[in-house]
Amino acid sequence: MDALEQTYGDVAIRLIRSRDARPLQDELMASRSWLRPWEATSPDGAFPIDMKLGVRRLLQQYRDGAGVPFVMEHRGEIAGQLNVWGIAYGSLSSATIGYWVGERFAGRGITPVAVALATDFCFARMRLHRMEICIRPENRPSLRVVEKLGFRYEGYRRRYIHIDGDWRDHYAFALTREEVPDGMLRRWVEGRVPPDAARIPDADRPG
């Protein structure tokens, strides 16, 4: 087993490997129109998808201590990616989670399990203090993930990330290690998630 591999039920996350580039690119292309509204883009213009180069960069970030790139698997089949990025140690001790899952794997509960596994890994193994997820207001499936897991709503970030060709507003959600002393996955599985943690104030909802 990979030293970073975490599993629960049919879902596993593990460190990305060079040989994952082809199946990940195939999954991305098969889900292209479905994922495009949520994909990060460059303000300098479109660029071709080169997953082989992307995996090399992710692994370099991992070696540099700046991120942990995971592959999400469902019953041993690659379903998508989950990246822990922007890792800061010391007095900040935090990171951000981003992810995507292929369209054919949607609705199987893969993403919330993967996010919980990654969060627990970052708190227990990396000793980070705070994890953040930022989501477009229109991305209802991702909002359901933070609602299920009880990430706490922290605010509205205007024109925050370049997505699908423009700067997009995002909601910010976060969690600290003290809020899940027994682990996020365990809290969720045992039904102890605060029901309103991810509630978005009416003032922050799109008009």
Side-chain angles (χ1 to χ4, degrees):
M1 179 184 290
D2 187 307
L4 272 63
E5 185 170 343
Q6 310 289 307
T7 64
Y8 179 78
D10 293 332
V11 179
I13 60 172
R14 60 166 174 80
L15 185 66
I16 201 169
R17 304 166 184 150
S18 297
R19 63 177 177 270
D20 295 326
R22 174 57 64 85
L24 282 169
Q25 180 145 338
D26 290 345
E27 200 62 51
L28 267 178
M29 298 310 295
S31 305
R32 197 80 185 98
S33 60
W34 189 67
L35 289 171
R36 184 175 286 114
W38 324 118
E39 281 183 350
T41 47
S42 170
D44 297 323
F47 53 90
I49 295 176
D50 184 345
M51 189 57 70
K52 188 175 292 186
L53 176 61
V55 169
R56 284 203 300 269
R57 287 175 173 168
L58 288 171
L59 287 172
Q60 184 60 55
Q61 290 173 11
Y62 172 64
R63 289 189 289 270
D64 292 341
V68 183
F70 289 105
V71 163
M72 292 191 286
E73 292 183 334
H74 182 260
R75 297 180 179 175
E77 188 175 8
I78 289 178
Q81 254 185 291
L82 184 151
N83 293 324
V84 176
W85 59 277
I87 296 175
Y89 295 99
S91 57
L92 190 56
S93 193
S94 71
T96 298
I97 290 178
Y99 51 79
W100 64 266
V101 66
E103 184 174 11
R104 66 193 178 100
F105 292 98
R108 302 189 195 183
I110 297 169
T111 303
V113 173
V115 170
L117 289 170
T119 299
D120 286 347
F121 174 86
C122 289
F123 284 160
R125 295 271 296 276
M126 299 179 66
R127 306 304 297 167
L128 295 180
H129 176 250
R130 180 181 180 275
M131 301 299 293
E132 179 175 281
I133 296 179
C134 295
I135 301 170
R136 286 188 62 182
E138 303 87 352
N139 192 344
R140 188 61 203 162
S142 275
L143 292 175
R144 283 291 299 136
V145 170
V146 293
E147 289 168 2
K148 287 179 181 179
L149 296 178
F151 272 82
R152 178 175 25 79
Y153 179 72
E154 287 203 333
Y156 192 67
R157 298 184 177 176
R158 298 186 184 279
R159 297 179 62 78
Y160 180 56
I161 303 176
H162 203 272
I163 301 282
D164 192 27
D166 202 357
W167 296 103
R168 309 291 182 176
D169 298 343
H170 281 68
Y171 292 139
F173 302 86
L175 199 75
T176 61
R177 194 166 64 204
E178 294 89 348
E179 293 173 86
V180 284
D182 300 322
M184 169 174 278
L185 181 64
R186 182 174 177 180
R187 185 181 75 165
W188 177 39
V189 169
E190 294 180 352
R192 295 186 285 112
V193 173
D196 297 323
R199 188 179 66 82
I200 300 160
D202 290 341
D204 285 354
R205 295 181 182 276

